Amino acid sequence: MANPTMSMIHGMLYGKGLHVGKLDNLGRVIATLTGKHADRIPFMGPQIHDHAMHITKVPARKYYWDAELLVDVHLAVNRWYRFDSDSIIADAYNFEVEALGAQFIYSDTAMPTVDTNHPLIKNKSDLDKLGPLDVTKARIPMASELAGIVTEKISGPFGQGFFCSPFSMICQAMGYPKAVRAIMRDKVFAQELFDYVENDVIFPFMKSQKAYGAKASAGADAWACFPNLPPDLVEEWVVPSAKRLADRCKKELKMTVAAGLAAADYCEEDPEKFDKEMMFSCWETASKTMFIDVAFSGMGRTQDWNMEWLQEFALSHGKGNKKLPIFGSLNGRFMRDSSPDVIVDKIREWINIMGRGGGLLFFIGNVPSDTPSVNIHTAVESVHKIGYYPIAGDLQSIIIDTPDFLPFDEWLKGQPEEEIILKAREWKPEEKKVFA
């Protein structure tokens, strides 16, 4: 295995124009993030937990309670798809509220999900009954162990833990309508909610992750996307909350903690309502909670965006005449429901608009469990071939055939994760009621 520090240094030098030696995956990502471009456009590992479980055929009631299994499943599936980075993210919105006592729905084939019919906080008085997070309860120990394992095994900026950011956790605990009503009409109560979540829930969770070896943790905040929250409310509530958490964790834990990830992500569903000015406002606000300086597209209906706008934003908001790196996210439903040819055409379009001058990284916002594997293999193959620098003048001249790939079970033979995956398939819970 290459030395991570040397890979990162190699990537930074390559991005600055010193094209010596062959980049590895980490170096390729770092070259794109810190310099002009790498040898080719990277395809980063996406959020893939349910899909990876589906591909490997391991039971949900084992997978979502076993940190080692969850990591190995991700590593194997990421390598099978030939992603250029490893992103290992579990059901990051559920750990804390589950441990606080929220009712959950458990399944043999999908991640645990909060039961929205029975919210944890129904009335203001319920907040006083909760008490601080007990880090020994529910799956908090698993999530803390997971953060430590990922820190150990994943090099570079993606080796970190995950948690649920404050606004999204409030939504998980009381429902989105009541959460929005609080921040708009009852700001005293809303601040009490944020203070409780930051100090009595997330901070103890960060201490637990730190004890398992995590050096950094990222807070998912999809409930704070646009139009759920307009940028002004993200600025008023999410950005200050993220700063408070980051400052306290840095001071008291010597730990890098970034909350608010995906806040202000532009997720308008109606293309007729797409608005360039609002998109720019969302991207500017989103950048205030990012742990790296990028132009970010995430969960939105990106297949219908005018990507000239995202390219313009990246060019106009970079520092020192340098374009901001662009995270070009292929929409999960688009990846599931489109034909391989349509996916290839979209990748050609994006590379033509955003990739020629460098600074473009591809990923998938979140991979639905039933996404056809051929679609993902085709997307990775297309980015790797079409996105090779210098970018070809005529991208249509680069023919992308449906890639040949071994079925996962055939590919798995002899891989380091084979034993733990095969053993997990045979696992049966002794007492199913444990999970209900």
Side-chain angles (χ1 to χ4, degrees):
M1 180 182 294
N3 181 295
T5 301
M6 295 306 296
S7 294
M8 294 176 73
I9 293 173
H10 186 198
M12 286 187 283
L13 293 174
Y14 197 103
K16 300 299 182 186
L18 187 60
H19 296 173
V20 177
K22 183 178 180 180
L23 290 170
D24 62 11
N25 285 344
L26 176 58
R28 185 170 294 115
V29 171
I30 296 300
T32 308
L33 289 174
T34 64
K36 186 174 182 181
H37 62 73
D39 53 348
R40 60 169 169 78
I41 294 172
F43 200 119
M44 298 189 301
Q47 185 173 349
I48 201 171
H49 50 85
D50 257 5
H51 179 71
M53 181 185 69
H54 175 79
I55 291 295
T56 56
K57 300 189 287 288
V58 297
R61 294 174 187 262
K62 172 69 171 172
Y63 176 69
Y64 282 107
W65 277 261
D66 186 329
E68 183 180 0
L69 174 64
L70 190 141
V71 169
D72 280 356
V73 162
H74 275 76
L75 290 175
V77 173
N78 286 349
R79 206 163 59 251
W80 181 54
Y81 280 130
R82 298 186 299 132
F83 296 137
D84 290 307
S85 71
D86 285 305
S87 295
I88 298 178
I89 310 172
D91 55 318
Y93 293 94
N94 295 322
F95 293 119
E96 299 94 336
V97 291
E98 182 183 30
L100 290 172
Q103 292 192 37
F104 264 66
I105 299 168
Y106 300 103
S107 166
D108 292 323
T109 57
M111 68 180 182
T113 304
V114 67
D115 186 349
T116 56
N117 292 318
H118 299 90
L120 185 65
I121 300 175
K122 300 182 181 69
N123 305 295
K124 289 184 181 181
S125 60
D126 291 336
L127 181 60
D128 298 327
K129 302 173 186 176
L130 292 179
L133 179 73
D134 184 340
V135 298
T136 67
K137 283 191 173 181
R139 293 181 301 141
I140 293 294
M142 175 269 185
S144 300
E145 181 188 4
L146 178 65
I149 296 174
V150 172
T151 301
E152 178 186 355
K153 291 192 174 185
I154 305 302
S155 304
F158 306 108
Q160 59 187 358
F162 277 88
F163 63 95
C164 183
S165 283
F167 180 73
S168 286
M169 195 185 306
I170 293 167
C171 290
Q172 292 287 84
M174 63 192 301
Y176 166 76
K178 287 187 176 180
V180 170
R181 189 177 300 119
I183 65 174
M184 295 185 69
R185 300 181 182 177
D186 193 347
K187 295 190 177 184
V188 172
F189 178 52
Q191 192 58 59
E192 290 177 358
L193 288 164
F194 272 85
D195 290 343
Y196 168 73
V197 168
E198 292 169 26
N199 298 309
D200 292 340
V201 183
I202 296 175
F203 187 76
F205 190 20
M206 294 302 94
K207 287 179 68 175
S208 180
Q209 290 191 17
K210 174 80 173 183
Y212 277 87
K215 299 176 183 178
S217 197
D221 210 0
W223 276 109
C225 72
F226 177 85
N228 285 358
L229 288 187
D232 62 324
L233 286 180
V234 174
E235 294 268 11
E236 181 181 359
W237 291 98
V238 176
V239 174
S241 173
K243 186 178 186 306
R244 289 192 297 267
L245 266 173
D247 290 348
R248 186 180 182 194
C249 290
K250 182 178 181 180
K251 180 180 179 180
E252 298 184 33
L253 301 178
K254 304 298 187 289
M255 187 176 179
T256 300
V257 172
L261 300 184
D265 186 20
Y266 192 87
C267 294
E268 172 59 60
E269 276 292 297
D270 184 354
E272 292 187 0
K273 295 181 180 179
F274 287 176
D275 181 270
K276 181 180 179 181
E277 184 177 346
M278 180 57 74
M279 280 187 170
F280 269 58
S281 180
C282 284
W283 295 332
E284 287 167 354
T285 300
S287 68
K288 297 178 181 180
T289 59
M290 289 288 169
F291 59 96
I292 49 179
D293 202 12
V294 297
F296 180 77
S297 66
M299 305 170 291
R301 197 181 179 91
T302 54
Q303 67 271 25
D304 295 320
W305 285 11
N306 181 347
M307 284 304 187
E308 296 280 2
W309 295 352
L310 187 56
Q311 172 75 352
E312 180 184 336
F313 178 86
L315 288 169
S316 62
H317 285 70
K319 297 176 182 177
N321 296 318
K322 180 184 179 293
K323 169 187 167 182
L324 283 178
I326 294 174
F327 278 22
S329 171
L330 294 159
N331 177 272
R333 288 167 297 167
F334 171 77
M335 286 297 300
R336 181 191 62 196
D337 300 336
S338 300
S339 69
D341 287 344
V342 169
I343 293 169
V344 172
D345 287 343
K346 185 58 61 176
I347 288 168
R348 281 199 182 96
E349 175 191 330
W350 286 14
I351 291 176
N352 186 53
I353 295 171
M354 299 182 289
R356 292 191 175 278
L360 175 62
L361 306 94
F362 275 82
F363 74 111
I364 305 168
N366 188 0
V367 181
S369 62
D370 56 348
T371 303
S373 291
V374 65
N375 287 3
I376 300 175
H377 279 291
T378 299
V380 173
E381 179 83 355
S382 300
V383 171
H384 286 178
K385 286 189 175 181
I386 301 170
Y388 199 88
Y389 288 102
I391 304 296
D394 178 13
L395 299 187
Q396 295 295 332
S397 67
I398 303 175
I399 305 302
I400 304 295
D401 297 319
T402 302
D404 292 327
F405 59 91
L406 286 175
F408 180 80
D409 278 8
E410 291 185 36
W411 174 91
L412 183 63
K413 294 175 182 177
Q415 298 294 328
E417 300 85 8
E418 179 184 16
E419 182 177 353
I420 191 172
I421 289 173
L422 294 181
K423 186 176 180 180
R425 289 178 182 175
E426 301 173 356
W427 177 87
K428 301 292 182 185
E430 294 181 5
E431 292 188 65
K432 207 165 189 177
K433 66 181 181 181
V434 169
F435 305 102

